[in-house]
Amino acid sequence: MSSEWILDKNHLSYWLRQLRKEADLIGPLRKPGGDIVFESIERIHEIFLDLPALIPGPKEFLFPQYEKLFNKRDSKVEELSIKRKRVVFGVRSCDVSAVRLLDRFFLDRFEDPFYSNRRANTLLISIVCNNPEPTCFCAGIGTGPYLREDYDIQLTDLGERYLVQAASKQGIRAIKAYSFIFSKPTRTDYDDQFEVQLSAMARFQKRISLERVRSMIITGKVRDTFWEKVATRCFECGGCVYECPLCTCFTVIDRVFGDEIERARIWDACLFKGFTRLAGGVLPNERMVMRTKRWYYHKLVHYPEVIGSFGCVGCGRCTIVCPAKIDMATVAIKIKALADNEEKIIEQKE
Amino acid sequence: MKRRSSNRKNNIYLPIKGRIESIVPLTEDVNFYRIRSEKPLSYGVGQFFMVSVWGYGEVPISVCSLPEKPEILELSIRKVGFVTNAIHRLKEGDELWFRGPYGRAFPMELSINRDVILIAGGIGLAPLRAAIHWLIKHRKKVRHISLLYGAKTPSQLLYREEFTQWEKEGIKVVLTVDSPEDGWTANIGVVTTLWHHIDVDFKRAVAYICGPPVMINASMLDLYRFGMPLSNIITTLEAHMKCGVGKCGHCYASEKYICTDGPVFSYEEIKRYRLL
Ligand SMILES: Cc1cc2nc3c(=O)[nH]c(=O)nc-3n(C[C@H](O)[C@H](O)[C@H](O)COP(=O)(O)OP(=O)(O)OC[C@H]3O[C@@H](n4cnc5c(N)ncnc54)[C@H](O)[C@@H]3O)c2cc1C
Ligand code: SF4
Ligand code: SF4
Ligand code: FES
C-alpha cells in the first residue's frame, strides 16, 4: 500500500499547521547554543531541516530516557501511560527502520503497554537523506537512505517540491484530508526522484557489509584477542548505548515523594559492570571484554537469528559519540580488514 | 508501516495486591511467606513471580507451592539486599504485591515412570519444594525419588520440618553440609559426594537441579558421565532481572532471555547456548 503525491514546498507549513490541530507536532529545532533537539513545534518556520550528523533519534518519543510507569498512593495504583497523539516530522530513514525493529521487540511476545500506547499514537514523517553524512552506513544494510516500504510518510526533497509517499493508513489519512494541496506526480517527478536517490547512494563514504562481519564472527575468525583490544579502550561511558536507536535496556526504580510512590524506568546499559550483578555481588560479566562481546554479538549475531535483521541500522551515532573509536563502523571495518588479510594469506599460499 | 492493534488484556508491568497471611522463619535469613492474592492464580512448578514492595522495587522469586488453592501463593525468601530486606521487614497482614507467573516451568511430566533425583543447594530447595509436592501428588506414576540437599550449616537447611513427611511418602532424603554443628550425624561435603547413597538407574532417570552455579555445573557433569541423557538433566538459572518479560535486557545471556526462555533449561540447552 503506497500512494504518492507532489507537495509544493510553499504548502508544507500549511500542511503541518493542519496536522498540528489534531496532534502534538514534534520536529527538529535549533536552540540558541546551536544544539538540535526534537521538540514540540510552536512556530512552523522554526523547523530546522539542515540537520547535523548527530541528532537525537525518535527513540526518546517511544521509549523515553526516564518514563514514569506507575504512581501509588495508599492502596491505589495508577497507570501512567501516554496516549497523546503525535506527529514527528523530519525523522531520518534509518531511524524509521529502527522503529520498525523496536516494534517487533516491544510488541512481540509480551506487549509492552507503555511503548504500545505511544507507538499507536505516533505518526512518523521521514525525509530521504539526499546527502548522507560521512558517518552514515545505512545503504549497506538496506535501512536507508530512502525506504521502499514500511514507513508512515516519506518525503523526498526534489528542489522546490517534495515527492510524498505514504505507506500506512495513518499516513494516507494525513494526506487525503488535505488533498487539495497535493497533486499527482508526473514522469519528471519520478525521474528526479530516481536521480536524487542515485546521487545519494553515490555519496556514501562508508561501505560496510555487516553480513561479511557476521560471517567472520560466526565462523570463529574473530579471536578473543581482537575483542580484548576493543574492550581495553572502552571508557564505559555508555554513550553508544544511549545514542543507539536500537538499544533498549532499562532498569526500574521506585521513588518516594511523601505519601506517593513513583515507579519509573530509565535507560540502562549492558556495558556497565553492575548491569548483571546478582544478589551477594556476583558479577556474571565482570570483565569488560565479556560486555563488549555481548553488545556486538547481540547486534550482529543474535538479532539476525531472532529478528531476521541486524541490531544496527547504520545511523553512525556511535561513531560520533564514542571517545575511544571502538564504534560499530570502526570495529566492522577492522574485522573486514582481518578478512581481507586472511584472503591475501590464502592467495599467497595458493 | 503497520500498527499492531493492541491485543493486551492488562498491563504486563502492573503488579496485583496480595496480603501476607503468615510468615514462618525457616532459617536465620530465610522466611516462608504464605500470601493471599486478590485474584485467582495459576502457575507451574519452577515458575517465578516478580514480587514487589512499593518504594523499594521488584525481585524475582520462585513459587514453592502448587496452585492447589488458586488464591494462595507460597514463597521462601532469603534476605540478601535492598528489596529482600524490605520484604523481611513486613509483618503478617501487610501488603505484598506481585506479578506473574513468568518463565518456563519444570517439565514435570518427564518424571512419569522414571527414577527422579532432586539436587538442591541452599535456597535452591525453594523451587524444588514445589516439585516435591508435585511428585508426592503423582507418587504412583513416579518410581524412586531421591533428594540430595546441601547447605552451609545444618541450621541453614530449609523445610527441616517437612523432611519426615517427605520420607513417609517414600522420598529418600540425603543431607550434607559444609560445616557441621553439634549433633550433626549426616554427611559433610558438597552434594556431588552423595551419589553412592542413592540407587537409581541413571540412564533412564531424570534430575531437577537448583542451587549456586558451581553446584549446578558439577552435578550436571557427573550425571552426564553416569549416562543420564542431556535432555533429562534439568536445572533453573539465576540472573539479575528487572522485568521478567524479556524487555529490560538484564538477564540476557548468549542469545537467551533467562526470564522468558528460561529460567528452566535442560543440560542439552545449556551446552548448546553456552549458558553456564
Ligand atoms: C528466577 C529466579 C528465582 C528466584 N527465586 C528465589 C527464591 O525463591 N527465593 C529467594 O530468596 N531468592 C530467589 N531469587 C534470587 C532473588 O531474586 C535475589 O536474591 C533478589 O533479587 C535480591 O534482591 P535484593 O534487592 O534484595 O538484592 P540487592 O543485591 O541489594 O539488589 C538487587 C537489585 O536492587 C537494586 N538496589 C540495591 N540497592 C539499592 C538501593 N539502595 N537503591 C535502589 N536500588 C537498589 C540493585 O540495583 C539491584 O537491581 C531468584 C532469582 C531468580 C532469577
Ligand atoms: S550500533 Fe551505532 S551505527 Fe548501529 S544503529 Fe546503533 S548507534 Fe547507529
Ligand atoms: S561510547 Fe565507546 S567508550 Fe563509551 S561505552 Fe560505548 S564503546 Fe565504550
Ligand atoms: S528480566 Fe528483563 S529481560 Fe529478562
Side-chain angles (χ1 to χ4, degrees):
Chain A
M1 179 172 56
S2 174
S3 316
E4 302 174 339
W5 297 269
I6 285 295
L7 176 68
D8 190 298
K9 277 192 178 169
N10 290 325
H11 293 144
L12 177 67
S13 68
Y14 171 80
W15 182 43
L16 293 180
R17 206 167 290 133
Q18 298 310 310
L19 293 181
R20 195 175 53 183
K21 286 185 181 156
E22 298 154 26
D24 190 4
L25 177 67
I26 290 162
L29 282 180
R30 209 170 113 109
K31 288 288 178 179
D35 287 348
I36 305 294
V37 294
F38 273 70
E39 267 184 8
S40 270
I41 303 289
E42 298 291 324
R43 285 176 291 271
I44 306 280
H45 68 270
E46 282 181 0
I47 292 180
F48 186 82
L49 284 179
D50 189 13
L51 300 177
L54 185 63
I55 56 162
K59 178 166 98 171
E60 176 69 32
F61 300 109
L62 301 170
F63 170 60
Q65 183 161 8
Y66 184 104
E67 184 173 30
K68 294 177 187 174
L69 306 179
F70 302 108
N71 217 14
K72 180 175 184 275
R73 183 191 273 274
D74 302 325
S75 221
K76 275 192 80 90
V77 178
E78 184 196 354
E79 184 183 328
L80 305 169
S81 209
I82 304 278
K83 292 198 174 140
R84 194 159 44 112
K85 282 217 173 303
R86 282 188 296 202
V87 173
V88 187
F89 178 78
V91 181
R92 287 201 168 120
S93 305
C94 59
D95 283 336
V96 176
S97 300
V99 170
R100 220 149 66 187
L101 294 173
L102 290 184
D103 282 355
R104 300 204 41 192
F105 176 76
F106 277 116
L107 305 178
D108 278 359
R109 263 176 119 170
F110 287 92
E111 181 181 316
D112 187 295
F114 300 97
Y115 179 91
S116 174
N117 281 338
R118 287 172 188 273
R119 181 69 181 94
N121 291 296
T122 304
L123 181 80
L124 299 172
I125 304 182
S126 53
I127 303 182
V128 169
C129 303
N130 290 359
N131 204 353
E133 299 291 336
T135 46
C136 295
F137 59 104
C138 57
I141 313 175
T143 46
Y146 53 87
L147 299 172
R148 295 180 187 282
E149 57 188 3
D150 250 357
Y151 44 82
D152 279 330
I153 297 179
Q154 168 170 269
L155 308 186
T156 309
D157 187 339
L158 301 177
E160 72 303 333
R161 65 204 192 283
Y162 286 115
L163 177 77
V164 181
Q165 296 165 292
S168 71
K169 258 192 236 146
Q170 290 83 347
I172 292 173
R173 205 182 306 128
I175 290 164
K176 290 232 164 121
Y178 314 102
S179 55
F180 47 92
I181 54 168
F182 293 90
S183 58
K184 252 180 96 79
T186 62
R187 185 66 195 265
T188 326
D189 296 320
Y190 287 119
D191 283 347
D192 288 354
Q193 179 200 22
F194 182 64
E195 211 170 280
V196 159
Q197 288 178 347
L198 268 189
S199 92
M201 288 303 265
R203 282 172 206 242
F204 278 91
Q205 296 180 18
K206 284 205 165 84
R207 298 191 180 266
I208 294 169
S209 160
L210 292 184
E211 191 42 52
R212 184 98 188 273
V213 175
R214 185 183 89 95
S215 76
M216 285 282 290
I217 293 176
I218 58 174
T219 51
K221 303 241 169 64
V222 188
R223 302 239 160 78
D224 273 359
T225 46
F226 174 85
W227 294 116
E228 292 278 0
K229 275 190 209 147
V230 175
T232 46
R233 300 188 58 126
C234 183
F235 292 101
E236 297 178 53
C237 64
C240 51
V241 171
Y242 294 146
E243 287 294 342
C244 181
L246 284 174
C247 279
T248 49
C249 288
F250 62 83
T251 191
V252 181
I253 54 160
D254 280 15
R255 293 170 76 199
V256 183
F257 300 95
D259 52 5
E260 266 184 39
I261 298 163
E262 174 184 293
R263 182 163 289 174
R265 66 173 164 200
I266 45 177
W267 291 354
D268 203 342
C270 63
L271 288 173
F272 295 157
K273 200 176 196 165
F275 188 73
T276 50
R277 187 175 62 91
L278 292 174
V282 180
L283 278 174
N285 286 324
E286 183 156 18
R287 290 171 54 236
M288 185 65 221
V289 64
M290 298 164 103
R291 307 195 298 275
T292 302
K293 271 180 82 174
R294 168 188 162 126
W295 196 74
Y296 279 102
Y297 271 66
H298 186 211
K299 290 183 174 309
L300 295 175
V301 182
H302 305 155
Y303 237 102
E305 269 163 30
V306 180
I307 302 215
S309 327
F310 289 106
C312 167
V313 291
C315 72
R317 287 188 177 91
C318 56
T319 306
I320 301 167
V321 299
C322 181
K325 305 239 173 311
I326 48 167
D327 53 283
M328 180 62 80
T330 310
V331 166
I333 291 168
K334 293 244 162 78
I335 291 179
K336 190 179 163 286
L338 291 176
D340 293 347
N341 252 336
E342 186 174 83
E343 269 165 29
K344 264 188 224 132
I345 294 167
I346 293 171
E347 273 166 30
Q348 280 165 5
K349 275 188 192 154
E350 282 168 356
Chain B
M1 221 170 187
K2 266 185 226 95
R3 299 280 190 295
R4 238 160 293 180
S5 55
S6 177
N7 54 14
R8 73 189 167 96
K9 281 167 235 93
N10 43 33
N11 189 321
I12 52 170
Y13 301 110
L14 183 68
I16 59 172
K17 188 164 58 182
R19 241 176 233 292
I20 302 180
E21 213 171 65
S22 65
I23 304 178
V24 183
L26 294 177
T27 71
E28 207 174 64
D29 58 357
V30 181
N31 279 353
F32 173 86
Y33 296 86
R34 202 181 146 87
I35 293 146
R36 183 168 289 276
S37 160
E38 262 188 348
K39 291 177 189 155
L41 305 166
S42 105
Y43 48 85
V45 175
Q47 285 197 295
F48 66 95
F49 283 84
M50 292 300 288
V51 175
S52 80
V53 184
W54 287 93
Y56 292 87
E58 298 181 298
V59 286
I61 300 291
S62 310
V63 312
C64 64
S65 53
L66 292 183
E68 309 252 71
K69 294 191 187 126
E71 70 288 358
I72 294 294
L73 184 65
E74 291 177 356
L75 308 170
S76 303
I77 304 176
R78 187 154 77 107
K79 167 166 84 165
V80 290
F82 191 62
V83 179
T84 47
N85 267 294
I87 296 174
H88 273 243
R89 285 194 292 272
L90 299 174
K91 292 188 255 342
E92 288 177 357
D94 283 350
E95 284 174 12
L96 187 62
W97 295 63
F98 58 88
R99 56 187 174 87
Y102 296 126
R104 278 205 295 186
F106 281 122
M108 291 312 296
E109 60 303 330
L110 264 185
S111 57
I112 291 173
N113 293 329
R114 283 202 171 89
D115 288 346
V116 179
I117 314 172
L118 302 145
I119 305 158
I123 185 82
L125 187 56
L128 291 187
R129 176 183 182 258
I132 292 170
H133 287 185
W134 190 97
L135 293 166
I136 291 175
K137 197 172 159 193
H138 300 86
R139 188 67 194 90
K140 290 206 179 70
K141 290 186 260 174
V142 185
R143 298 169 50 156
H144 290 109
I145 308 172
S146 337
L147 166 67
L148 308 183
Y149 179 37
K152 285 209 180 87
T153 63
S155 53
Q156 285 183 29
L157 293 162
L158 306 187
Y159 317 123
R160 283 182 302 249
E161 290 71 35
E162 296 182 48
F163 292 165
T164 14
Q165 179 60 32
W166 296 353
E167 279 174 328
K168 251 189 237 152
E169 299 285 350
I171 299 174
K172 177 153 181 129
V173 180
V174 188
L175 305 173
T176 186
V177 294
D178 294 338
S179 352
E181 286 159 358
D182 285 350
W184 181 254
T185 52
N187 306 281
I188 299 169
V190 294
V191 283
T192 44
T193 58
L194 303 176
W195 302 123
H196 61 280
H197 288 274
I198 56 173
D199 176 27
V200 281
D201 178 2
F202 284 104
K203 291 193 178 64
R204 276 205 297 274
V206 53
Y208 301 98
I209 311 170
C210 185
V214 236
M215 190 215 85
I216 295 180
N217 252 330
S219 319
M220 288 193 306
L221 201 61
D222 279 357
L223 292 170
Y224 169 61
R225 291 208 188 102
F226 301 156
M228 191 179 282
L230 292 179
S231 52
N232 283 9
I233 308 175
I234 312 293
T235 189
T236 170
L237 299 181
E238 191 179 337
H240 184 131
M241 293 185 180
K242 276 294 181 189
C243 72
V245 288
K247 305 294 185 209
C248 75
H250 283 268
C251 71
Y252 177 82
S254 314
E255 230 178 308
K256 295 283 152 193
Y257 289 95
I258 307 287
C259 62
T260 49
D261 298 320
V264 171
F265 292 99
S266 69
Y267 194 22
E268 195 257 319
E269 292 166 316
I270 287 182
K271 274 177 169 279
R272 180 155 27 114
Y273 304 115
R274 295 192 204 142
L275 288 168
L276 256 181

